[in-house]
Amino acid sequence: MSNPLADMEKPDVIFCIGTNMTEAHPVAATRLKKALARGAKMIVADPRRIRLAEMADLYLPIRVGSDTALLLGMAHVIVREGLADLEFIATRTEGYDKLVDHLQEKTPEWAASITGVPAARIEEAAILYGSSDRAAIFYTLGITEHICGVENVQSLCNLALLTGNFGREGTGVNPMRGQNNIQGAGDSGALPNNYAGFQPVDDAANQAKFEKAYGRRVDLEKGITKVTALEQCGDRIFGMLIDGENTVVSDPDQEHCIHALKSLEHLVVIDIFLTETAELADVVLPAASWAETDGHFVNTERRIQRVRKAVDSPGEARPDWWIIGQIARRMGMSGFDYDSPVPIFNELCALSPIYNGIDWDLAESGQYQWPIPYRGHPGTPRLHEDAFINGRGKFSFTDYRDPAETIDEDYPLWLTTGRRLESYHTRTQTGRSEGINELLPEETLEVHPGDAARYGLRDGGWARMSSRRGAVDVRVQTTRRSPQGTVFASFSFADVPINVLTGSGYDPITHTAELKVCPVHVEPIAEKAQLAAD
Amino acid sequence: MNATTSDIQTTRTICGYCGVGCSLDLVTRDNRIIAVHPAFDGPANEGALCVKGQFAYDYVHHPDRLSHPLVRDGEGRLRQASWEEALDRAAQGFMDVLQKHGRHAVYGVASGRTPSEANYMMQKFIRVGFGTNYIDNCSRA
């Protein structure tokens, strides 16, 4: 997030797009509710009439995958209505004149023809966002899990740059991160393009710095992403170490994924349960869980917080850092003689400019949000206050593209996937928590009553849903939360493996899968119980 | 045996689910979590917790937890092994792949769920062990 969580209570106008915050980030959503109670206005763009949409002053029910068109149309209106912040644009940005030319044809009528939202509503949203003093954007995977995820984010940045909504309280462009330490994973250098602290690997100075620290020269070329690595399994990739990821259930195109992992000569999985992925491994190493380990998580507002061990691990399970260090030592690597997580974190801080100002002891307070560039620096709750990191904020000249696959006669419905409040990811944890399991015992497919009638489905009955990659059986739930023409399911339940269907395409820059769009066909089938009895 | 309040301990930590980073106190007795209390001084949550953070902790003590290393035997089945044997198998397998297929044949996938210390170790393992940047985390899917 560009801004701290506390800023969520401060905007005059809130614009939520592609975020089901009340279900996926419920505690953050409470801050938006406080802002609304204070009188803030909220715009929500989402294909589904989610809880946030019900709370909104203005709801834009866009077709899945049409976000860029909506955002370009809004930018057009902001410029046309004279709502652009010309002083901010002159002092903090570059590319405005070119953007004005680029937006010429991106009229709200054009955007309406793609998004399905009436032009007047798009104008209303643009004017509301553009005329407020403090407007903040919040988004989640509904923006990034598309083949145009990068263009979607750039289009959101255009809106904030146009209206001067950066670097101040209650503004910004704020992605809500989905996992407890997904921010920390990137910060720590678990990326093919960056060393720790987002230092690019293809910079010779960084290569030299880490050669000195690690005693080994690392390639100047970027590595491949996990998506590419899975494609190369059995061809160029033959060994894999997976820590705490249930790849088989969480990743798109399950059949391809299982085939890839099975074609490895050596797969080692570190996890707390024998997940569907661990079942494929040659060696499974039992890890300490969240309540059994010391270390740090970095949250969505870049806050570095201490995690503390409260109970002992079952049997012989050990912390991840210890397990990885042991494998390294047995392979003869040097620099892995850690006896606790303390020196590991201190090494990360010393090598990362964004963490240089802290160490294990200072991080104890939980008060630091990176960057903390030097000792004594208070941390940076709000980014871009006086300047952008690279000087000026650059406008992007984005364009709308169709999703990788679009609906047709064979696959006439859009499937979009997501999360539910009561389950987390592939349910390896929430599926083993009794009370939660009672709240949400099984997956259902959300279908509009009109679509149910059209395809012969009934509420509580079963459907077989197919895409170009596979089929799954799922119980039907008729609801007006999903619009006609779009169905919804989560990927959380291993017995309804929705990711058998997905995997139509990837964003070419980030390699993020288009998990939010998948054309499908649905048909009624007999009750599963009856099928079993046959 | 009746428990007294002196048997009860609390440990301040951070919720392990989403990226909001809510502070909470784990209430434990006899090495088991018996409750979760939201932290009113938590900077991210100021006393709030969602249904997952507040209640979905029993998985920590679930009988399905892996408590011993496992290695695949000659018949293709996973069997219990000592740390000694499992770590040797893990290390030897990577050395075999390295020797047979070269540095760019081994890949590491780090977790968005583990602490930063685990992520740092994963990337260091790949970079020091193989001299490549063949490392990613689970943020793309």
Side-chain angles (χ1 to χ4, degrees), chain A residues 58-116:
Chain A
L58 181 57
Y59 169 49
L60 310 173
I62 59 172
R63 192 211 75 211
V64 290
S66 68
D67 309 72
T68 308
L70 170 72
L71 301 172
L72 285 165
M74 285 175 66
H76 173 100
V77 175
I78 287 169
V79 171
R80 188 190 74 193
E81 298 294 317
L83 296 171
D85 182 341
L86 296 176
E87 193 193 324
F88 184 89
I89 289 166
T91 55
R92 300 281 306 268
T93 72
E94 64 185 54
Y96 176 65
D97 292 340
K98 191 175 166 192
L99 181 76
V100 172
D101 287 344
H102 181 74
L103 292 174
Q104 204 76 45
E105 315 264 288
K106 316 294 185 201
T107 62
E109 290 73 21
W110 167 82
S113 73
I114 295 167
T115 60

Side-chain angles (χ1 to χ4, degrees), chain A residues 105-266:
Chain A
E105 315 264 288
K106 316 294 185 201
T107 62
E109 290 73 21
W110 167 82
S113 73
I114 295 167
T115 60
V117 176
R121 306 288 288 279
I122 297 173
E123 288 177 331
E124 204 183 326
I127 291 167
L128 188 56
Y129 176 84
S131 45
S132 83
D133 179 43
R134 296 198 281 192
I137 292 167
F138 300 94
Y139 71 88
T140 312
L141 301 175
I143 279 293
T144 50
E145 286 183 348
H146 291 283
I147 57 160
C148 54
V150 169
E151 282 107 319
N152 283 345
V153 173
Q154 289 174 331
S155 303
L156 287 170
C157 290
N158 278 349
L159 290 184
L161 287 172
L162 267 177
T163 53
N165 277 306
F166 266 121
R168 290 182 295 119
E169 187 179 65
T171 66
V173 175
N174 300 289
M176 310 301 299
R177 306 227 57 179
Q179 298 180 32
N180 54 322
N181 198 34
I182 200 73
Q183 184 66 53
D187 295 1
S188 306
L191 289 169
N193 57 333
N194 289 326
Y195 289 111
F198 302 100
Q199 300 173 83
V201 298
D202 53 4
D203 180 322
N206 294 335
Q207 186 192 37
K209 173 179 174 176
F210 280 86
E211 183 177 355
K212 196 174 164 210
Y214 288 171
R216 163 110 196 217
R217 173 170 291 214
V218 177
D219 291 345
L220 196 57
E221 296 78 36
K222 288 175 192 169
I224 54 177
T225 63
K226 188 188 82 180
V227 171
T228 306
L230 284 171
E231 280 169 7
Q232 294 185 1
C233 283
D235 177 18
R236 274 178 263 177
I237 299 291
F238 295 93
M240 199 173 275
L241 175 60
I242 299 178
D243 185 12
E245 188 197 57
N246 192 5
T247 319
V248 165
V249 183
S250 67
D251 280 36
D253 201 348
Q254 185 174 81
E255 200 177 316
H256 157 78
C257 183
I258 291 172
H259 176 77
L261 295 179
K262 279 186 170 170
S263 65
L264 293 168
E265 290 174 10
H266 188 55

Side-chain angles (χ1 to χ4, degrees), chain A residues 405-460:
Chain A
E405 286 175 7
T406 52
I407 50 172
D408 57 19
E409 273 181 25
D410 295 334
Y411 300 99
L413 284 168
W414 300 105
L415 163 69
T416 191
T417 70
R419 270 80 176 166
R420 297 184 192 279
L421 172 65
E422 303 87 350
S423 62
Y424 188 86
H425 264 249
T426 66
R427 289 180 72 254
T428 57
Q429 295 165 310
T430 50
R432 291 182 176 92
S433 296
E434 246 173 74
I436 288 277
N437 245 345
E438 276 180 36
L439 290 175
L440 186 73
E442 70 170 344
E443 185 54 51
T444 53
L445 181 69
E446 290 185 3
V447 183
H448 187 278
D451 286 331
R454 184 167 174 193
Y455 296 100
L457 306 174
R458 66 175 181 82
D459 190 47

Side-chain angles (χ1 to χ4, degrees), chain A residues 32 38 45-46 94 102 156-157 192 210 227 249 291-292 328 363 370 384 394 402 404 408 438 461 501 506 518 525 532:
Chain A
L32 292 189
R38 189 181 42 75
D46 200 286
E94 64 185 54
H102 181 74
L156 287 170
C157 290
F210 280 86
V227 171
V249 183
E292 301 151 8
W370 66 253
H384 320 306
K394 293 180 177 63
D402 276 338
D408 57 19
E438 276 180 36
L501 309 174
Y506 296 87
C518 178
I525 54 167

Side-chain angles (χ1 to χ4, degrees), chain A residues 180-181 189 191 219 224 226 238 241 245 266 279 281 284 290 292 296 299-300 312 316 335 338 347 421 510, chain B residues 14 17 19-21 31 52 65 67 70 72 83 90 104-105 107 109 112 117 120 124 127 131 136 138 140:
Chain A
N180 54 322
N181 198 34
L191 289 169
D219 291 345
I224 54 177
K226 188 188 82 180
F238 295 93
L241 175 60
E245 188 197 57
H266 188 55
E279 279 175 10
V284 180
W290 142 86
E292 301 151 8
H296 294 86
N299 79 352
T300 189
D312 294 330
E316 298 174 13
Y338 306 103
E347 183 176 313
L421 172 65
T510 63
Chain B
I14 304 299
Y17 283 107
V20 173
N31 209 31
K52 291 185 284 284
R65 279 290 302 279
S67 56
L70 303 171
R72 200 163 291 282
W83 271 111
H104 296 90
Y107 201 84
V109 180
E117 289 76 3
Y120 181 79
K124 189 172 179 182
R127 291 192 163 110
D136 205 348
C138 51
R140 292 169 221 276

Side-chain angles (χ1 to χ4, degrees), chain A residues 35 124 168 333 375 380 386 416 456 462 498 506:
Chain A
E124 204 183 326
R168 290 182 295 119
M333 296 185 210
R375 200 53 70 94
T380 313
D386 302 313
T416 191
W462 288 84
I498 292 298
Y506 296 87

